Amino acid sequence: MIITDEEVENKEIVRKYRRLLRHAKPFLKDGDAKLIKKAFNTSMEAHKGMRRRSGEPYIYHPLEVAMIAVDEIGLGTTSIISAILHDVVEDTEFEIEDIEREFGPKIAKIIDGLTKISGVFEYGTSAQAENFRKMLLTLSEDVRVILIKLADRLHNMRTLSSLPRNKQLRIASETIYLYAPLAHRLGLYAIKTEMEDLYLKYAENEVYNEIEEKMAANKPIRDRFIKRFIAPIQEELSAQNFRFKIKGRPKSVYSVWNKMKTQNIPFEEVYDLFAVRIILESAPEHEKAACWQVYSIVTDFYKPNPDRLRDWISTPKSNGYESLHTTVMSRTGLWVEVQIRTSRMDEIAEKGYAAHWKYKDMPSKYKASVESGLEEWIGRVRDMLEQNDTNAIEFVDDFRSNLFNEEVFVFTPKGDLKILPNGAKALDFAFDIHSEVGAHCIGAKVNQKLVPLNHTLKNGDQVEILTSTKQKPSEDWLRFVETSKAKSKIKDLLKTERKVVIAQGKEIVLRKLKQMKINPTDEVFNQIRAYFDANTKNELFYKVGNGDIDHKEIKRFREVQEKRKAEISPKVQDAQTFEKQLTKATGVSRDMLLIGEDMDIIDYTFAKCCNPIPGDDVFGFVTVNEGIKVHRTGCPNAIELMSRHGHRVIKAKWTSQKKVAFLAGVKLIGTDRIGIINDVTTIISNELKVNMRSISIDTDSGIFEGRIMLYVNDTIHLELLINKLRKVNGIVKVIRFDTKE
Ligand code: MN
């Protein structure tokens, strides 16, 4: 039971509301405060008596979301009101019409974009994807929908601790899969970073704590280093009358973790744990010159790495990011990244899109390109949405892969600039010009040289597309194009063509059946499908239409059909049916797979991508054809599985294990010496009595790298083994590896 004190709570509500008004004050115009008050009262009324999972009054949440919108994104009155009301339509009796009547069409539209699609999709495969797509549809009309959604998501992540574990995992995965990249794309670095850290905190709590502790332990050393590093720069900048701040920015826990993972190194080997940031006060017209002047001062003291100079002031990133980056060699032999920018650029870097409006009146020639970059991106999202009628999951995937890409700048023959995602091919360029040009593209001339369709474009390329009326889109094209626009267009074109083939195939099948004097009932079609291994009727027609199935073969389905009457056992398809089956099999109601105990009643196997062993944090995933697979929560595939197929994720935990052996991989690195392999294998097989399945050793100019697959009982057992191996003379590194590489 939750004990509440209404008086204390009401005081807290008023405090939160006043704080919101206080922070919003600089943006408010006449009458705005009154409207905000009205929204607050409406929301209070609507959420009356409702509580969050944590036991707090519900109204805390919309007030906090509005606060994030003001403080951390820099949004104004319309957004504050929308944030206060954002859950009203979804969770209470209020209808969108009520909002429109009370607050006007603009706010109603935003709230509608924030309200989830309900009913039909609730338990389908693509509920999240459909909702996301809907949100994006509104984004192309009003970007504030996404910004408020990001604020909403951030507050939900901040208060994730009161939710049950499976919900935590689902929400956290969805956040890292879509919302963090989206925040990144809109230039909201602070929010993106916090989302990533919170993701890690919930998905891999131990890892998170470990890195956080190590970073904290390192802090005094780091601070001392930074102090020494910046001292001469500071002195010189002051001597030259700059107004400035210098900060040593620690890397986020998530990015340290990411580096450890992608480069397969321990914490101690991540060297760039921080960057130095110099923030200048400068008049708008002198910004660029001032930044380069500071660059010159920095590189007078420290040698720069010529490959690591990034000038995002002359050409800002299309999410609005402006900054000058260089990496220089410190006196202790450590590379240090130095970021140079003005306070205006810094605010935009932290708060992103919305911060631009604050500088809207600034007469700057760069600003135009920044805004058009964002407009262009939003335009591209709009295009994607308009063209795309493929299913929502596919759409979200395409969209997401586009979020991560940095851009490449290329030119038309007339010198017009086109911005495409990095890795874009000549064919992407063709589709970017026009879908007809793309559909008939046979190749291109890049900088006057003839290149194939799949040629990757580079910055500054000038591209001329060559077409032929005889050209037709092919399935192959999908394998190399990068942009969603090209992808969805090609899919559309192929689909149209497929329809023609299907119609032809259908005609053939019907004709054959008529010759055989068989009525074309659904049952008959099912039998033919089963015989030819086609999943749908259309697939069958398609295969016949394009000749994959010889039409003379069609009548043979009868012969085999008799032999095929094997009983089909009911299969588990998702978490819901799993629960039912489990409850039936065990006689008690439960929703968690107990690994070990349930061995006899439920079929499950261990995923090969991450080889879980007892002690690992795990979940079950219901696959389409291979039953339940158990994955580690830290599996490289986990994020995708949980965010895209949340309804197929089931809770799982280890129970008392009989001595069963699990396959795990260990990687060893060391200096090569005679007898080292013998020492390693002796420890493994004699001392610890562990069975090896495979061992592969590479040596290269004195460096020894071994990969061993072996059977262990659990994480403790594995840890013990790793610790023993670390002590072998000549071994420098021993780590567990996930995937079978
Ligand atoms: Mn909410």
Side-chain angles (χ1 to χ4, degrees):
M1 206 190 84
I2 304 146
I3 299 158
T4 55
D5 183 334
E6 264 189 49
E7 205 172 313
V8 174
E9 280 176 1
N10 285 338
K11 270 193 190 146
E12 179 63 16
I13 293 169
V14 172
R15 197 190 65 80
K16 282 185 194 293
Y17 172 65
R18 292 221 174 107
R19 185 175 55 136
L20 174 66
L21 278 184
R22 207 165 51 240
H23 285 243
K25 203 164 180 197
F27 313 115
L28 299 186
K29 290 188 292 294
D30 276 356
D32 281 359
K34 224 172 163 184
L35 276 173
I36 293 173
K37 183 160 191 198
K38 186 173 163 191
F40 171 63
N41 286 333
T42 307
S43 189
M44 274 293 272
E45 179 63 29
H47 293 297
K48 198 171 175 179
M50 288 171 64
R51 287 184 182 275
R52 302 196 85 206
R53 184 87 182 202
S54 59
E56 291 172 343
Y58 197 89
I59 189 78
Y60 283 14
H61 169 65
L63 285 176
E64 290 293 343
V65 173
M67 192 65 198
I68 293 171
V70 172
D71 251 16
E72 294 171 55
I73 311 182
L75 294 171
T77 306
T78 306
S79 307
I80 295 171
I81 294 172
S82 306
I84 293 175
L85 296 169
H86 81 270
D87 276 333
V88 158
V89 173
E90 189 170 322
D91 295 343
T92 77
E93 304 285 291
F94 274 70
E95 301 284 343
I96 207 75
E97 290 75 29
D98 302 321
I99 302 287
E100 177 154 5
R101 198 179 52 242
E102 296 294 323
F103 297 94
K106 209 197 292 170
I107 285 170
K109 188 113 207 171
I110 293 176
I111 301 215
D112 190 40
L114 290 164
T115 305
K116 284 191 201 128
I117 299 169
S118 57
V120 203
F121 295 103
E122 216 54 276
Y123 222 81
T125 40
S126 56
Q128 286 120 305
E130 278 298 346
N131 279 318
F132 191 74
R133 191 182 152 132
K134 182 187 168 195
M135 202 168 70
L136 287 175
L137 264 166
T138 333
L139 155 87
S140 56
E141 284 166 36
D142 195 330
V143 72
R144 284 174 292 199
V145 173
I146 290 286
L147 297 173
I148 296 166
K149 186 69 202 172
L150 288 171
D152 180 31
R153 179 51 65 123
L154 181 61
H155 186 243
N156 285 336
M157 285 295 285
R158 283 178 182 168
T159 51
L160 210 52
S161 65
S162 45
L163 292 183
R165 175 84 178 139
N166 58 335
K167 275 205 170 167
Q168 284 180 348
L169 282 176
R170 188 180 57 76
I171 292 173
S173 308
E174 222 177 82
T175 303
I176 202 74
Y177 188 73
L178 276 174
Y179 293 98
L182 196 53
H184 176 81
R185 191 60 191 74
L186 290 167
L188 298 141
Y189 283 92
I191 289 183
K192 170 210 163 214
T193 306
E194 192 178 343
M195 281 180 168
E196 287 175 342
D197 275 2
L198 284 167
Y199 158 76
L200 194 62
K201 190 171 164 186
Y202 287 99
E204 301 220 34
N205 190 255
E206 262 173 51
V207 179
Y208 178 88
N209 289 338
E210 202 182 312
I211 297 176
E212 202 186 27
E213 274 161 31
K214 283 184 176 168
M215 299 262 300
N218 253 337
K219 194 171 179 293
I221 307 170
R222 212 162 53 224
D223 286 348
R224 214 176 319 132
F225 177 88
I226 292 171
K227 213 171 142 194
R228 278 198 204 134
F229 178 85
I230 63 178
I233 302 174
Q234 234 159 356
E235 204 175 304
E236 186 58 28
L237 286 176
S238 301
Q240 297 199 23
N241 290 323
F242 276 100
R243 279 188 300 139
F244 65 96
K245 270 187 295 208
I246 302 190
K247 296 191 228 171
R249 303 268 308 173
K251 244 192 160 81
S252 73
V253 175
Y254 179 84
S255 60
V256 170
W257 174 73
N258 208 10
K259 190 144 202 177
M260 288 165 65
K261 222 177 50 168
T262 50
Q263 303 192 358
N264 220 335
I265 51 176
F267 178 86
E268 288 68 25
E269 284 173 31
V270 180
Y271 289 121
D272 49 347
L273 287 170
F274 63 90
V276 167
R277 186 176 296 166
I278 305 174
I279 300 164
L280 306 173
E281 293 304 328
S282 163
E285 59 274 25
H286 298 133
E287 284 188 314
K288 188 173 173 181
C291 289
W292 280 103
Q293 230 173 316
V294 172
Y295 171 83
S296 161
I297 292 169
V298 171
T299 51
D300 278 347
F301 292 106
Y302 305 107
K303 270 257 161 314
N305 180 340
D307 296 334
R308 300 288 296 275
L309 175 65
R310 299 282 180 275
D311 174 10
W312 282 303
I313 295 179
S314 307
T315 324
K317 288 191 189 179
S318 68
N319 64 10
Y321 186 81
E322 294 170 76
S323 193
L324 190 59
H325 291 192
T326 176
T327 300
V328 300
M329 178 60 83
S330 70
R331 284 178 192 144
T332 49
L334 218 57
W335 288 108
V336 176
E337 183 180 284
V338 181
Q339 307 172 349
I340 305 163
R341 56 175 82 153
T342 64
S343 55
R344 177 190 67 83
M345 296 173 188
D346 194 52
E347 188 172 355
I348 289 172
E350 296 290 329
K351 291 186 181 172
Y353 191 86
H356 285 287
W357 303 113
K358 205 174 141 186
Y359 299 99
K360 215 172 161 89
D361 308 324
M362 196 190 74
S364 158
K365 56 175 184 282
Y366 329 120
K367 211 196 58 179
S369 69
V370 168
E371 257 163 35
S372 66
L374 273 170
E375 287 309 320
E376 181 146 334
W377 179 72
I378 289 169
R380 258 192 276 159
V381 171
R382 191 180 302 135
D383 280 357
M384 238 150 81
L385 287 158
E386 275 165 9
Q387 292 169 11
N388 200 301
D389 62 350
T390 49
N391 79 58
I393 286 192
E394 221 171 279
F395 166 79
V396 169
D397 249 8
D398 282 356
F399 178 80
R400 182 177 169 275
S401 62
N402 266 266
L403 284 175
F404 282 118
N405 290 324
E406 298 285 340
E407 287 98 1
V408 55
F409 298 84
V410 291
F411 297 94
T412 67
K414 282 185 185 153
D416 289 338
L417 178 68
K418 293 261 170 203
I419 304 174
L420 295 170
N422 201 9
K425 307 291 186 288
L427 189 58
D428 288 297
F429 183 90
F431 274 101
D432 197 70
I433 290 177
H434 196 278
S435 51
E436 278 300 304
V437 177
H440 297 121
C441 178
I442 49 168
K445 268 185 178 173
V446 169
N447 307 328
Q448 311 297 333
K449 256 177 65 188
L450 217 52
V451 298
L453 295 172
N454 61 357
H455 178 84
T456 307
L457 301 176
K458 290 192 305 295
N459 268 326
D461 279 349
Q462 191 159 36
V463 190
E464 182 186 344
I465 294 297
L466 307 170
T467 59
S468 154
T469 47
K470 293 207 182 76
Q471 178 70 309
K472 264 196 320 195
S474 92
E475 200 81 40
D476 280 352
W477 289 8
L478 289 171
R479 273 201 284 274
F480 62 78
V481 290
E482 280 291 321
T483 55
S484 325
K485 190 175 183 176
K487 256 182 218 156
S488 64
K489 257 294 151 211
I490 295 167
K491 280 179 199 160
D492 281 356
L493 291 162
L494 290 173
K495 226 188 276 167
T496 320
E497 200 177 295
R498 191 180 153 91
K499 274 187 194 144
V500 177
V501 178
I502 287 173
Q504 289 165 350
K506 186 173 180 183
E507 219 181 285
I508 297 170
V509 174
L510 290 174
R511 199 169 61 228
K512 282 281 157 193
L513 289 176
K514 205 169 169 191
Q515 285 168 9
M516 292 158 73
K517 302 210 164 40
I518 297 172
N519 253 344
T521 60
D522 277 352
E523 206 193 336
V524 169
F525 277 122
N526 285 341
Q527 290 165 351
I528 307 178
R529 276 203 301 108
Y531 179 69
F532 289 108
D533 251 349
N535 288 321
T536 61
K537 241 197 232 180
N538 278 345
E539 193 183 322
L540 172 75
F541 295 151
Y542 183 74
K543 282 182 169 172
V544 175
N546 74 2
D548 279 355
I549 297 173
D550 187 346
H551 57 260
K552 287 178 204 125
E553 288 277 302
I554 292 175
K555 51 183 151 181
R556 290 195 49 202
F557 83 97
R558 282 254 139 134
E559 300 163 22
V560 187
Q561 156 205 3
E562 295 302 317
K563 299 177 201 160
R564 278 214 179 183
K565 280 198 173 151
E567 195 184 318
I568 301 153
S569 69
K571 262 191 190 162
V572 176
Q573 288 139 356
D574 57 28
Q576 257 193 346
T577 49
F578 165 76
E579 278 178 43
K580 273 190 205 137
Q581 287 222 339
L582 191 61
T583 305
K584 214 165 101 190
T586 58
V588 282
S589 165
R590 71 178 152 91
D591 62 352
M592 186 183 287
L593 177 68
L594 301 177
I595 304 167
E597 259 175 44
D598 289 339
M599 189 67 95
D600 306 327
I601 47 168
I602 288 279
D603 231 10
Y604 60 83
T605 50
F606 297 101
K608 290 206 178 74
C609 47
C610 56
N611 291 321
I613 61 176
D616 280 333
D617 212 353
V618 289
F619 66 95
F621 186 76
V622 183
T623 65
V624 177
N625 294 316
E626 295 169 86
I628 295 163
K629 293 257 180 208
V630 176
H631 290 262
R632 285 160 64 187
T633 338
C635 171
N637 298 321
I639 292 171
E640 204 198 325
L641 296 179
M642 288 194 263
S643 57
R644 279 189 36 179
H645 309 287
H647 67 293
R648 281 161 45 190
V649 170
I650 53 186
K651 285 181 268 184
K653 76 171 184 204
W654 302 94
T655 54
S656 56
Q657 282 295 330
K658 303 154 208 157
K659 283 279 175 216
V660 185
F662 290 86
L663 197 58
V666 169
K667 186 162 130 184
L668 307 149
I669 292 171
T671 46
D672 195 18
R673 66 167 170 84
I674 296 167
I676 193 167
I677 298 172
N678 191 37
D679 288 356
V680 167
T681 51
T682 306
I683 288 186
I684 295 174
S685 19
N686 294 358
E687 225 178 292
L688 289 160
K689 309 263 180 278
V690 169
N691 279 323
M692 283 189 287
R693 197 183 76 170
S694 67
I695 177 165
S696 71
I697 309 280
D698 267 336
T699 56
D700 182 16
S701 44
I703 300 295
F704 157 98
E705 190 180 313
R707 282 159 187 270
I708 307 173
M709 297 298 289
L710 34 75
Y711 291 96
V712 292
N713 300 327
D714 52 30
T715 43
I716 300 168
H717 192 193
L718 181 64
E719 203 84 330
L720 181 76
L721 178 79
I722 287 178
N723 283 336
K724 283 246 179 191
L725 290 174
R726 281 205 178 119
K727 295 203 182 93
V728 172
N729 190 7
I731 295 288
V732 274
K733 194 153 91 173
V734 185
I735 44 170
R736 177 176 176 188
F737 68 91
D738 277 342
T739 34
K740 299 196 294 181
E741 287 154 71

